Amino acid sequence: MNATAVAAAPSRDDFAAMLEESFDKHDVAEGSVVKGTVTAIEKDMAVIDVGLKTEGRVAVKEFSGQGRDAPLKVGDVVEVYLERVENALGEAVLSRDKARREESWVKLEVAFNENQKVEGVIFNQVKGGFTVDLEGATAFLPRSQVDIRPVRDVGPLMGTPQPFQILKMDRRRGNIVVSRRTVLEESRAEMRQELVQNLEEGQVIEGVVKNITDYGAFVDLGGIDGLLHVTDIAWRRVNHPTELLQIGQQVKVKIIKINHETHRISLGMKQLLDDPWQGIEAKYPAGARFTGRVTNITDYGAFVELEPGIEGLIHVSEMSWTKKNVHPGKIVATSQEVEVMVLEVDPVKRRISLGLKQTMQNPWEAFIESHPVGSEVEGEVKNKTEFGLFLGLDGDVDGMVHLSDLDWNRPGEMVIEEFKKGDMVRAQVLDVDVEKERISLGVKQLGGDPFVETSGEMRKGSVVTCEVIEVKEGGLDVKIVDTDVVAFIRRADLARDRADQRPERFSVGQKLDARITQFDKKAHKVALSIKALEIAEEKEAVATYGSSDSGASLGDILGAALKKRNEGSDED
């Protein structure tokens, strides 16, 4: 063999280098996207030449993505993902899905970083949302991100190419989260901005009622919604917008206010009508009576409609003369026709204060007319308190019998225990205060005043005979003989001499004389003093039986006076 020929023969290493050089010329590497030509279609597989010594096979279905219909034919140039250059069968391992996914991820990352919208197709429903095909990459669309408002039927949205906003991307995990709602909100904001610029406050336009809530109605003004608050629908009270509006109804409204920052528009219907509050004071003067209809009842009163758009409030305190702690609903009913009196009109605050009780006679005035002071009444015991009895009287009013007016002699705290709720009690009218709504009654006054009847000719300075009824440390409780008058003699008034001022030297039942030092018939007060009597008798004895120059001692004078007094008693 020729030595030159032997040297020229390629070695194993040379062959490997030549093969590597061949691969480099075609710029083919595993794990990358390459271009290839469809050389044949066998059943459901496409044979693709990517420039290698071998061909690869890819399922035809991989070339028709979700939501697309792209038939494949021989000669088409396609992009595929080269997983391996050669498998056990000597074929290249190719994937159209992975190629599309890789290509899509690159585009999506650019769009995500630049905050651009991407196009996709909703093709399946999963737990919590939907899956979206973003030209090969599969993304998750949460249910809350489908639309601005909840969508019940997503069917019409599926299979249709539409824009999405990428919210989150994680290539390592292969996760993409998109939103359709964000795109709609941006589009809506742009449209609203344009529409708002063409509107101005005070403008009158037509719209369609789009939605109704408890607080008002939303009106579509041609691409932008305005709020028609329930208080701006009519001048009269509207409890719910459905009383005057319904969805789909065409209405004429006036733009009250526009917030250019939030694009919120406030609308009004009543502003298109004449204001019924103009000249309200002349129409409803204070003190005049009118008939109205109860439209609403609250804890603090009832609203009465005097005419459409004009309402007044009857405060709970102005509803009844006698029912003080009763809910207004117990006095009037909704839709009831009532007569009221205008108490006050405030055109600035648009308030009218009404009175219901003022249309009725004051029961305290009626009572004093039919039951003057001194007359006798009868009533049922409604309540017992620590200071007296309350009796229910004619005209649904109450009168009070104070403890001090229950009995002339016994303590009121003791006498009140004899009464119970429901008892019928007779009493005398002592006083009626119409302004303070008070009636004072007395039970003891029905039997006459025993003090007045038995005190007779008693007066200050009179000497009376008393009977001891109780001995106390501070003095004596005594009763004036032949009367019902009870008095108290203080310890200091028991004798002239301090040594004799001892209550214990007296006994119950003992009779004694005392001088009246104070007598107040109106206040039923009598003050007695033995000491004052002794001093008075001494002065009288000195004046009668002795003088300053007679030389008689005080003992002689008193002895003579006592002897004459005894002789007088013997003659009697």
Side-chain angles (χ1 to χ4, degrees):
M1 182 178 291
N2 192 324
T4 304
V6 173
S11 65
R12 183 184 297 271
D13 293 338
D14 292 335
F15 182 79
M18 290 169 62
L19 181 62
E20 185 69 28
E21 183 181 354
S22 175
F23 285 163
D24 290 342
K25 287 180 180 179
H26 288 85
D27 194 22
V28 175
E30 291 183 353
S32 64
V33 177
V34 298
K35 289 186 178 182
T37 305
V38 179
T39 58
I41 298 178
E42 301 173 354
K43 294 184 179 179
D44 57 348
M45 301 296 289
V47 181
I48 302 174
D49 179 11
V50 291
L52 302 174
K53 297 298 182 179
T54 59
E55 297 173 329
R57 295 173 180 270
V58 180
V60 175
K61 65 180 181 180
E62 291 190 23
F63 290 91
S64 56
Q66 294 88 340
R68 298 180 179 84
D69 185 13
L72 191 66
K73 63 183 182 295
V74 176
D76 285 350
V77 177
V78 296
E79 290 185 342
V80 292
Y81 182 82
L82 179 61
E83 297 187 46
R84 291 179 60 186
V85 174
E86 187 176 2
N87 62 9
L89 300 176
E91 295 179 343
V93 180
L94 307 175
S95 172
R96 171 58 184 162
D97 283 345
K98 290 186 178 180
R100 291 176 62 240
R101 192 176 299 119
E102 282 294 317
E103 180 183 355
S104 181
W105 267 93
V106 173
K107 294 179 180 178
L108 294 175
E109 284 180 333
V110 173
F112 178 66
N113 292 331
E114 297 181 359
N115 198 29
Q116 296 177 349
K117 299 177 182 62
V118 295
E119 190 173 89
V121 178
I122 302 174
F123 67 90
N124 192 22
Q125 182 171 342
V126 295
K127 183 178 180 180
F130 306 87
T131 51
V132 180
D133 176 32
L134 301 177
E135 296 184 356
T138 301
F140 175 64
L141 173 64
R143 188 176 293 274
S144 62
Q145 296 297 322
V146 174
D147 206 323
I148 297 174
R149 294 187 177 89
V151 178
R152 295 182 179 179
D153 183 15
V154 191
L157 300 177
M158 299 184 72
T160 304
Q162 50 194 312
F164 295 90
Q165 186 77 41
I166 299 176
L167 302 180
K168 182 179 179 183
M169 287 188 74
D170 188 338
R171 186 160 188 171
R172 185 173 62 85
R173 295 183 178 181
N175 293 338
I176 304 177
V177 180
V178 296
S179 171
R180 179 174 175 269
R181 174 178 178 173
T182 303
V183 177
L184 295 177
E185 287 178 342
E186 289 181 4
S187 175
R188 182 185 181 189
E190 293 173 359
M191 183 175 62
R192 287 172 65 94
Q193 178 70 27
E194 183 179 350
L195 290 172
V196 168
Q197 290 177 350
N198 296 326
L199 299 176
E200 59 183 16
E201 295 180 3
Q203 182 179 349
V204 178
I205 56 177
E206 290 190 351
V208 178
V209 178
K210 186 176 181 181
N211 190 27
I212 295 177
T213 66
D214 291 338
Y215 54 85
F218 288 93
V219 180
D220 184 359
L221 305 177
I224 187 170
D225 293 346
L227 174 62
L228 175 60
H229 197 271
V230 64
T231 57
D232 290 312
I233 294 177
W235 289 107
R236 70 175 182 84
R237 175 181 293 274
V238 178
N239 295 316
H240 197 275
T242 52
E243 294 179 9
L244 298 175
L245 301 174
Q246 58 184 3
I247 295 177
Q249 179 180 345
Q250 189 165 353
V251 293
K252 183 180 288 186
V253 293
K254 184 175 184 178
I255 298 177
I256 301 174
K257 186 176 182 182
I258 299 177
N259 189 322
H260 291 279
E261 294 182 0
T262 61
H263 295 168
R264 290 183 179 176
I265 303 175
S266 299
L267 306 174
M269 284 178 62
K270 72 179 185 182
Q271 286 77 5
L272 299 174
L273 306 173
D274 293 334
D275 187 354
W277 284 86
Q278 294 292 333
I280 196 70
E281 289 179 294
K283 196 171 186 180
Y284 296 99
R289 295 189 181 191
F290 297 91
T291 300
R293 180 177 61 88
V294 178
T295 58
N296 190 30
I297 297 175
T298 67
D299 292 337
Y300 53 85
F303 288 91
V304 176
E305 183 183 59
L306 301 175
E307 66 172 82
I310 299 296
E311 282 188 348
L313 172 65
I314 308 175
H315 192 268
V316 64
S317 62
E318 306 294 346
M319 301 197 81
S320 173
W321 288 107
T322 56
K323 298 175 182 177
K324 302 296 184 182
N325 298 313
V326 178
H327 190 275
K330 298 289 184 65
I331 301 175
V332 295
T334 305
S335 299
Q336 178 182 345
E337 294 285 336
V338 293
E339 185 183 15
V340 293
M341 178 182 287
V342 177
L343 304 181
E344 183 182 0
V345 177
D346 188 336
V348 177
K349 295 183 178 179
R350 294 175 178 261
R351 294 177 181 174
I352 298 179
S353 298
L354 303 174
L356 181 63
K357 70 181 184 181
Q358 286 78 1
T359 62
M360 312 168 192
Q361 185 179 15
N362 186 324
W364 282 272
E365 293 179 351
F367 183 86
I368 192 64
E369 290 177 4
S370 57
H371 302 87
V373 173
S375 61
E376 185 178 321
V377 294
E378 185 177 24
E380 179 183 350
V381 177
K382 296 289 186 180
N383 194 21
K384 290 169 58 175
T385 68
E386 60 183 9
F387 47 82
L389 289 176
F390 283 90
L391 305 183
L393 305 174
D394 296 339
D396 203 22
V397 295
D398 291 344
M400 190 191 79
V401 182
H402 194 271
L403 290 177
S404 60
D405 290 314
L406 287 173
D407 194 279
W408 289 108
N409 301 315
R410 294 181 298 163
E413 294 82 1
M414 179 188 301
V415 180
I416 196 172
E417 297 301 324
E418 299 175 1
F419 299 90
K420 61 181 182 296
K421 284 186 179 181
D423 287 352
M424 297 302 296
V425 178
R426 292 170 54 251
Q428 185 180 104
V429 179
L430 304 181
D431 183 50
V432 178
D433 190 327
V434 176
E435 185 176 343
K436 294 183 178 180
E437 300 180 351
R438 293 177 183 174
I439 299 175
S440 298
L441 304 175
V443 172
K444 70 181 184 181
Q445 286 79 359
L446 293 175
D449 188 347
F451 186 91
V452 176
E453 295 175 355
T454 61
S455 60
E457 299 299 324
M458 289 183 190
R459 61 184 181 278
K460 183 177 180 180
S462 299
V463 177
V464 293
T465 301
C466 307
E467 181 180 348
V468 179
I469 56 178
E470 187 176 358
V471 178
K472 299 180 178 179
E473 183 178 352
L476 302 177
D477 277 334
V478 298
K479 179 182 179 183
I480 299 176
V481 176
D482 297 330
T483 72
D484 292 327
V485 179
V486 177
F488 181 72
I489 304 177
R490 297 180 305 144
R491 184 188 188 101
D493 289 319
L494 292 178
R496 176 179 178 181
D497 296 334
R498 184 180 294 275
D500 294 330
Q501 293 175 354
R502 294 176 288 108
E504 58 270 20
R505 72 188 185 91
F506 297 91
S507 59
V508 175
Q510 179 180 349
K511 294 185 178 179
L512 52 86
D513 290 342
R515 187 184 181 91
I516 297 177
T517 56
Q518 184 180 359
F519 183 76
D520 189 336
K521 185 176 292 188
K522 186 176 182 180
H524 292 190
K525 188 172 183 180
V526 177
L528 302 176
S529 174
I530 300 174
K531 175 182 177 180
L533 177 60
E534 290 177 348
I535 293 175
E537 289 180 342
E538 180 180 314
K539 288 182 178 179
E540 184 181 352
V542 170
T544 304
Y545 300 101
S547 61
S548 58
D549 56 354
S550 64
S553 66
L554 181 58
D556 295 337
I557 295 173
L558 292 178
L562 182 60
K563 179 179 179 181
K564 184 175 181 180
R565 180 179 178 183
N566 292 335
E567 290 176 352
S569 299
D570 292 340
E571 292 177 359
D572 294 338

